[in-house]
Amino acid sequence: MTLRKRFTLFTIFWLIFILILFNIFVYLFMTKITTRSEQQVMMNKVNLILENNKLNDKTHLADEGLLREFYNVNELIRIISPEGKTVNLQGSDTDLLALPVKFVAYRESGERFVGSTRVLFMKVPLYQDSEIIGMLEIERKLNLQDSYMKVLVAALSVTSIGAILFAIFGTYWFTSRLTAPIQQMVQTMREIDRSGKLRKIEMGDKEESAELLQLLRAFNQMIERLDRTFARQKQFVADASHELKTPLTVIVSYAGMLKRWGRDNAAIREEAIDAIAKEAERLQNLTKSMLMLAEAEQEDWLNLETFDVVQMVDELAGMLQATFQRPIRVHTSAGGLKMSGDKDKIRQLLVILLDNAIKYSKEPIDVTVSAVKQSVRVHVTDKGIGIPENEIPYLFERFYRVDGARRRTTGGVGLGLSIAKRIVELHEGQIDVFSKPGKGTTITLQFPQTLKGNGGR
């Protein structure tokens, strides 16, 4: 069942339920009001009749004119003796005249049905010197009130049916407008599925609810993000193909040369083997970096823990200093600086930055760790060749190299800084590069001490 039908049926059901309760309430309320009014009229008439002194004299109870002035067409007024006989009667309604004669020695009033008509009755004993000499009985048909109530029921029925029909058409029209953006979104999704091309939903000038506008914006943002992701993937595939093409070409060329002349020429054989080994190692490093970058795109790549940043930097600097025989100086004014994050990924990030600093400089490398408000700041500074200012915005793009000629000597594949940036993003941090050619480069990292998001597993 569609959302439109569900909403319409739900609205109609509750409207009918509310109308039924309302109509019942109105009917019962009006019935009670009109009945109470008629009872008051009867009470007043009884009081007027009892003011006549002849009712206190047994000899005058049968006078013909005693009850005549109080009679109405829809009533029966009679006086009954203690023996159960009618001594005075005013009435012409056959239904009321057919009512049985019954004497009671106490005041009685109420309501009963004669056929399908409601009848109010009131019985009052008559006294003469404290002796009961008879009973005054008034029976009053409520046929006029019942006809009014039938008109009321008809009016309530017509208005209720009209309200239901209006609600059906109104709800259907409203839900059509309400679900139009959703249907447009579904249609857009189907077109995307059929054509394979991403497209946004055009937001017209029609006024929509805030929730629908949020839904449309969220959908368009998702499409925009998917579009960027697909574009990055296409660019990644293109760049990876280009990067893989060169070492594969070298391997194939040297393999052919080795096949043709390598058997008899030791120099060519040695050169080919070295070149193939070197390019194979480069392919291995490139594949490893691409797999690591693909893994870094996952949102659950992090294993969060709380660790000492200064201790981790000291251990890493000592290890790299012993490996590359290059001085790496660690500066900090805060001991035992803690932060929340993936210790292994932060260590990998610093390895990438320090490895670049070692490759492109020959002077000592400085690492400064400090605490700024609720964040941790790390500076990695080298005195190397530096980076031109116009190249800095492209540093973190995949396979980008500042100087294509020097990549052969450094052996990089152009993915390290892309991985570094992704690690920083997953830690809700920030990375900035400050550099001048010939004077060196400083890369600044800043992380919150406690992650707000849930980037870990």
Side-chain angles (χ1 to χ4, degrees):
M1 187 180 294
T2 62
L3 179 63
R4 180 190 302 178
K5 290 182 179 179
R6 287 185 181 182
F7 190 82
T8 302
L9 290 176
F10 178 80
T11 303
I12 299 307
F13 170 78
W14 279 107
L15 179 62
I16 293 175
F17 180 72
I18 292 171
L19 284 175
I20 290 175
L21 292 181
F22 175 76
N23 291 343
I24 292 174
F25 170 77
V26 170
Y27 180 82
L28 294 178
F29 180 76
M30 293 302 298
T31 300
K32 186 175 182 180
I33 291 297
T34 54
T35 302
R36 185 179 296 175
S37 175
E38 291 297 323
Q39 288 174 340
Q40 187 63 43
V41 170
M42 286 184 62
M43 179 69 69
N44 294 338
K45 181 174 289 191
V46 168
N47 292 334
L48 287 175
I49 294 175
L50 294 177
E51 289 179 358
N52 192 335
N53 292 327
K54 291 183 179 181
L55 291 176
N56 298 326
D57 189 347
K58 187 176 182 179
T59 59
H60 295 288
L61 293 181
D63 292 351
E64 293 184 0
L66 184 63
L67 304 176
R68 187 177 301 162
E69 60 178 313
F70 301 103
Y71 168 70
N72 286 326
V73 178
N74 61 334
E75 290 182 344
L76 170 68
I77 306 176
R78 61 189 176 185
I79 297 176
I80 301 173
S81 66
E83 292 79 18
K85 296 181 179 181
T86 303
V87 296
N88 201 335
L89 175 67
Q90 291 290 330
S92 59
D93 190 284
T94 56
D95 293 332
L96 297 179
L97 290 173
L99 292 174
V101 178
K102 182 180 179 181
F103 176 83
V104 293
Y106 51 87
R107 181 181 288 264
E108 183 181 9
S109 63
E111 178 182 343
R112 59 187 172 189
F113 280 89
V114 176
S116 59
T117 305
R118 290 185 303 140
V119 175
L120 290 179
F121 65 90
M122 184 171 291
K123 300 177 180 180
V124 180
L126 302 176
Y127 294 90
Q128 182 178 3
D129 298 330
S130 301
E131 178 186 355
I132 297 178
I133 58 175
M135 179 194 73
L136 174 65
E137 178 183 2
I138 298 180
E139 304 278 348
R140 181 181 179 90
K141 272 190 174 182
L142 298 180
N143 47 6
L144 183 61
Q145 285 71 26
D146 287 347
S147 64
Y148 289 156
M149 295 307 297
K150 290 179 181 178
V151 172
L152 176 64
V153 170
L156 290 175
S157 301
V158 171
T159 55
S160 298
I161 293 173
I164 292 172
L165 292 176
F166 178 79
I168 290 174
F169 290 109
T171 305
Y172 194 81
W173 173 82
F174 175 73
T175 52
S176 297
R177 291 198 57 182
L178 184 67
T179 58
I182 300 177
Q183 294 176 344
Q184 187 179 3
M185 188 181 302
V186 172
Q187 184 64 27
T188 302
M189 290 178 179
R190 288 175 178 170
E191 291 180 5
I192 292 172
D193 181 58
R194 183 174 59 253
S195 64
K197 295 181 180 179
L198 297 177
R199 58 184 294 265
K200 296 182 181 179
I201 296 178
E202 297 296 332
M203 299 176 65
D205 298 331
K206 294 188 297 182
E207 183 180 354
E208 303 288 354
S209 65
E211 293 80 2
L212 287 177
L213 288 176
Q214 290 176 358
L215 179 62
L216 292 177
R217 290 194 186 102
F219 179 82
N220 287 340
Q221 289 172 359
M222 179 190 69
I223 293 297
E224 186 177 350
R225 182 177 178 182
L226 287 174
D227 199 15
R228 290 197 305 267
T229 301
F230 291 157
R232 284 200 303 266
Q233 287 180 348
K234 290 175 64 177
Q235 185 64 37
F236 179 77
V237 171
D239 293 341
S241 300
H242 177 75
E243 292 296 324
L244 290 171
K245 182 180 179 180
T246 301
L248 288 174
T249 302
V250 172
I251 291 174
V252 171
S253 299
Y254 272 101
M257 186 175 66
L258 185 63
K259 184 178 181 180
R260 288 193 297 269
W261 302 295
R263 292 188 181 92
D264 302 323
N265 193 325
I268 292 177
R269 186 167 60 248
E270 191 68 26
E271 179 185 353
I273 292 173
D274 289 343
I276 290 173
K278 183 178 179 180
E279 293 303 324
E281 183 181 359
R282 185 162 175 264
L283 274 176
Q284 185 180 25
N285 292 334
L286 178 60
T287 305
K288 182 179 178 181
S289 297
M290 287 193 295
L291 290 175
M292 186 181 301
L293 186 59
E295 184 184 1
E297 292 297 329
Q298 301 177 10
E299 297 295 332
D300 59 348
W301 192 45
L302 302 182
N303 293 311
L304 300 182
E305 60 178 304
T306 301
F307 60 94
D308 191 326
V309 183
V310 177
Q311 181 182 355
M312 187 264 293
V313 172
D314 280 334
E315 293 174 356
L316 179 60
M319 189 260 306
L320 293 178
Q321 184 170 287
T323 302
F324 294 99
Q325 299 299 313
R326 291 285 301 279
I328 300 176
R329 300 175 298 203
V330 180
H331 310 276
T332 180
S333 58
L337 184 57
K338 302 283 187 179
M339 72 168 283
S340 175
D342 190 320
K343 182 178 180 180
D344 293 335
K345 299 303 183 295
I346 296 295
R347 189 175 185 277
Q348 181 184 4
L349 166 64
L350 292 174
V351 167
I352 293 172
L353 300 182
L354 290 172
D355 182 63
N356 284 343
I358 291 170
K359 287 177 182 177
Y360 301 121
S361 70
K362 295 182 180 180
E363 299 295 326
I365 299 168
D366 294 300
V367 181
T368 305
V369 184
S370 59
V372 180
K373 295 183 179 180
Q374 298 298 320
S375 61
V376 176
R377 184 174 293 176
V378 180
H379 301 275
V380 178
T381 305
D382 65 68
K383 304 295 182 181
I385 60 177
I387 304 169
E389 185 176 354
N390 62 331
E391 302 276 3
I392 291 178
Y394 308 103
L395 282 179
F396 300 102
E397 293 184 3
R398 297 167 180 176
F399 301 108
Y400 183 81
R401 297 180 182 84
V402 176
D403 185 358
R406 70 182 181 183
R407 63 183 178 179
R408 297 301 178 190
T409 60
T410 60
V413 296
L415 291 176
L417 289 179
S418 296
I419 297 172
K421 184 179 181 182
R422 182 58 180 163
I423 293 174
V424 172
E425 289 174 348
L426 290 176
H427 283 82
E428 302 172 10
Q430 183 178 348
I431 182 169
D432 297 298
V433 179
F434 306 93
S435 182
K436 288 187 178 180
K439 293 186 177 180
T441 302
T442 297
I443 296 182
T444 300
L445 305 171
Q446 184 164 323
F447 304 100
Q449 287 186 285
T450 301
L451 290 181
K452 296 180 181 178
N454 186 14
R457 287 182 280 203

